[in-house]
């Protein structure tokens, strides 16, 4: 398949010769054939020409959940990856949120086979513990050899400190990446929102910031003792940023992410008890969001994730106390981030991080495989259900003003365009 991208503005911070330049890009059979001011299309070439079209290397999300296997009604792998492609993502890390959860080599092989030959590439995580029960380590080495890029009991904190210690020590034998969700259940108790003025006023049980920070402090002490590679997903408090920054200054190999909604929305959104805002970790205060944004800009926070979590409608359309945690976010992450960061920082954040998972980053260069995201950074619109591609519709972004829209993606010799 031949594709000609006409008059696209290149956003590529790593290549000063191309950055902010308007060029034509010719792609032949999945490879970038030419980049020039004007290219005459060969025969049988699909021409893509849109107003104010920009291009960058394909985007990367370090934390998405689908439903398959077990919850196909929420999201199949195929539709989930199509949603990712339409949202600008050419690589995604898949959380261990299915049932059964992937805790063996055969489970990892199933996930990779189910995603073969699609535009967006899926990189699965495996469970850290057998069945995600936090009692015994899963088959980490076998899963690594089958393609698992890390090990995570999705949203389940590791209560047994010795288990984390053993995991970090063992995984060093094969360069394994260990995830630890930052929550101390003894502190959080039955909390469902951030503990503070808003939770008190609304009469909702609170989760103190201490529950996150205490777990992070413990995990970092263990990491300092054992060595190894630790990933702390979706931090949400100001002190969590400080703890990670201090650990990095010590030279510890620790990485962390933040959910886009924790950067852009505070717990004040809970005023009408809308369950779309019930997420884990919970929405925090403006003090936290400011610290998180600063952590993103100074590099303390390595990655911004959509934390895409599809849920059945009946799990959200209930009383706030009984609703499940989670929101889809692939379709809205670009428009949300582009509201708080400039376009170059937004694209840099959406494009970075593959190296943490030993995934080769794409290059926008002649002779390289075309792995590209097309977007308009200036268009503004109100995000509605019509903008959702996911089977599930539990989006906390609905009703919010967005800046920037994805036009499409090119990868794996395939093209997806949003019409």
């Amino acid at each position: 398949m031949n594709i000609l991208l006409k008059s696209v503005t290149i956003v590529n911070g790593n290549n000063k010769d191309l950055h902010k330049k308007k060029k034509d890009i010719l792609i032949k059979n999945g490879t970038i054939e030419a980049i020039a001011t004007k290219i005459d299309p060969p025969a049988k070439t699909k021409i893509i020409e849109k107003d104010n079209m920009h291009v960058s290397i394909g985007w990367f999300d370090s934390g998405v959940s689908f439903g398959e296997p077990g919850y196909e009604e929420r999201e199949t792998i195929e539709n989930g990856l199509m949603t990712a492609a339409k949202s600008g993502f050419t690589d995604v890390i898949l959380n261990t949120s299915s049932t059964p959860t992937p805790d063996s080599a055969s489970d990892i092989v199933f996930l990779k086979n189910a995603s073969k030959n699609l535009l967006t590439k899926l990189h699965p995580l495996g469970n850290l513990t057998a069945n995600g029960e936090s009692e015994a380590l899963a088959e980490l080495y076998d899963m690594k050899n089958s393609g698992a890029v890390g090990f995570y009991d999705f949203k389940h904190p590791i209560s047994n400190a010795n288990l984390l210690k053993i995991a970090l020590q063992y995984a060093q034998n094969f360069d394994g990446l260990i995830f630890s969700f930052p929550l101390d259940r003894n502190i959080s108790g039955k909390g469902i929102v951030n503990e503070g003025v808003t939770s008190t006023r609304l009469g909702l049980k609170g989760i103190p910031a201490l529950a996150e920070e205490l777990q992070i402090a413990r995990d970092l002490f263990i990491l300092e003792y054992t060595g190894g590679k630790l990933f702390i997903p979706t931090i949400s408090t100001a002190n969590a940023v400080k703890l990670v920054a201090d650990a990095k200054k010590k030279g510890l190999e620790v990485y962390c992410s933040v959910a886009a909604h924790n950067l852009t929305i505070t717990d004040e959104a809970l005023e009408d008890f809308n369950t779309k805002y019930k997420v884990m970790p919970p929405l925090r205060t403006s003090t936290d969001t400011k610290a998180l944004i600063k952590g993103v800009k100074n590099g303390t926070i390595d990655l911004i994730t959509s934390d895409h979590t599809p849920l059945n409608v009946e799990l959200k359309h209930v009383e706030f106390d009984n609703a499940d945690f989670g929101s889809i976010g692939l379709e809205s992450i670009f428009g949300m981030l582009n509201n708080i960061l400039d376009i170059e920082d937004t694209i840099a954040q959406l494009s970075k991080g593959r190296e943490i998972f030993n995934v080769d980053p794409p290059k926008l260069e002649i002779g390289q495989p075309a792995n590209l995201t097309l977007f308009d950074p200036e268009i503004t619109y109100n995000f509605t259900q019509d903008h959702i591609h996911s089977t599930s519709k539990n989006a906390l972004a609905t009703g919010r003003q967005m800046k920037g829209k994805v036009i499409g993606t090119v990868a794996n010799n395939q093209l997806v365009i949003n019409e």
Side-chain angles (χ1 to χ4, degrees):
M1 178 172 63
N2 295 340
I3 302 168
L4 180 62
L5 307 178
K6 289 290 294 181
S7 299
V8 291
T9 300
I10 296 173
V11 181
N12 186 356
N14 295 325
N15 190 328
K16 293 181 180 179
D17 293 333
L18 292 176
H19 185 49
K20 292 187 176 180
K21 301 291 195 304
K22 186 169 282 192
K23 300 286 185 180
D24 288 358
I25 300 176
L26 178 62
I27 300 165
K28 283 189 176 182
N29 299 319
T31 300
I32 299 174
E33 181 80 8
I35 303 173
T37 302
K38 181 175 173 55
I39 298 175
D40 295 322
K44 297 182 179 179
T45 297
K46 184 174 182 62
I47 299 173
I48 308 298
E49 188 170 13
K50 304 276 187 180
D51 292 339
N52 199 35
M53 187 162 68
H54 288 54
V55 65
S56 71
I57 63 170
W59 299 346
F60 171 73
D61 194 329
S62 65
V64 304
S65 297
F66 300 142
E68 188 179 358
Y71 300 114
E72 285 82 357
E73 73 280 5
R74 298 180 185 179
E75 193 83 276
T76 62
I77 289 174
E78 182 176 3
N79 192 72
L81 291 177
M82 178 55 70
T83 297
K86 289 181 176 181
S87 303
F89 294 91
T90 57
D91 289 276
V92 296
I93 303 295
L94 182 65
N95 289 317
T96 56
S97 55
S98 59
T99 181
T101 55
D103 61 1
S104 68
S106 60
D107 294 330
I108 300 301
V109 170
F110 167 80
L111 293 170
K112 292 184 73 69
N113 286 341
S115 61
K116 269 185 178 178
N117 304 318
L118 299 176
L119 185 150
T120 299
K121 191 169 184 180
L122 181 152
H123 308 277
L125 296 171
N127 265 120
L128 179 64
T129 64
N131 298 316
E133 293 175 351
S134 297
E135 292 184 3
L137 292 182
E139 301 172 7
L140 306 189
Y141 180 70
D142 289 345
M143 286 192 287
K144 170 81 171 181
N145 287 340
S146 298
V149 296
F151 308 102
Y152 181 25
D153 291 349
F154 177 63
K155 303 281 186 178
H156 290 286
I158 305 168
S159 58
N160 185 337
N162 191 54
L163 192 64
L164 177 62
K165 175 179 75 74
I166 293 170
L168 285 166
Q169 290 172 327
Y170 174 58
Q172 291 177 60
N173 294 305
F174 49 88
D175 195 33
L177 180 63
I178 302 298
F179 280 62
S180 179
F181 185 65
L183 184 70
D184 186 318
R185 292 283 190 198
N186 294 315
I187 301 295
S188 65
K190 296 181 180 180
I192 54 175
V193 298
N194 177 58
E195 182 182 86
V197 173
T198 299
S199 66
T200 301
R201 184 168 61 249
L202 300 180
L204 296 172
K205 294 184 179 70
I207 301 174
L210 176 65
E212 179 172 312
E213 295 152 10
L214 193 62
Q215 189 84 348
I216 291 174
R218 184 207 72 170
D219 291 353
L220 293 174
F221 271 118
I222 294 172
L223 179 65
E224 188 171 7
Y225 176 81
T226 61
K229 294 165 61 176
L230 177 67
F231 194 103
I232 304 173
T234 57
I235 68 172
S236 67
T237 75
N239 278 336
V241 178
K242 185 179 184 303
L243 286 167
V244 173
D246 290 344
K248 289 188 172 188
K249 287 176 184 175
K250 290 181 179 180
L252 301 184
E253 193 166 1
V254 57
Y255 307 96
C256 68
S257 64
V258 63
H261 47 257
N262 283 109
L263 292 172
T264 54
I265 307 174
T266 69
D267 60 356
E268 292 179 359
L270 299 169
E271 292 291 346
D272 61 356
F273 294 92
N274 193 322
T275 59
K276 71 180 182 180
Y277 294 118
K278 188 177 180 180
V279 290
M280 178 59 70
L283 301 174
R284 302 285 189 182
T285 68
S286 59
T287 299
D288 295 305
T289 59
K290 289 173 184 176
L292 291 165
I293 292 171
K294 184 177 179 181
V296 165
K297 291 181 176 180
N298 66 26
T300 298
I301 297 174
D302 300 278
L303 297 165
I304 302 173
T305 175
S306 67
D307 202 21
H308 183 81
T309 307
L311 292 172
N312 306 36
V313 63
E314 62 269 18
L315 298 177
K316 280 293 190 180
H317 286 192
V318 292
E319 296 85 354
F320 198 94
D321 280 356
N322 297 324
D324 274 22
F325 294 99
S327 169
I328 59 173
L330 280 168
E331 300 96 324
S332 57
I333 183 173
F334 174 49
M336 293 175 75
L337 292 183
N338 202 31
N339 273 325
I340 60 170
L341 303 173
D342 64 39
I343 186 59
E344 292 177 41
D345 284 344
T346 297
I347 299 308
Q349 293 297 329
L350 291 172
S351 306
K352 67 188 289 197
R354 289 174 170 89
E355 298 90 340
I356 297 171
F357 301 90
N358 291 320
V359 175
D360 292 332
K363 296 179 181 178
L364 208 167
E365 297 176 1
I366 294 172
Q368 292 291 322
N371 188 317
L372 306 171
T373 299
L374 310 172
F375 56 95
D376 180 343
E378 299 299 332
I379 188 169
T380 58
Y381 63 100
N382 191 52
F383 189 84
T384 69
Q385 295 276 322
D386 293 337
H387 298 109
I388 295 174
H389 308 295
S390 175
T391 305
S392 294
K393 308 301 177 186
N394 55 306
L396 86 176
T398 50
R400 293 190 167 269
Q401 191 75 6
M402 300 285 153
K403 181 184 178 185
K405 185 177 285 189
V406 173
I407 294 171
T409 46
V410 181
N412 197 23
N413 198 21
Q414 297 175 56
L415 169 70
V416 166
I417 295 292
N418 291 318
E419 301 297 341

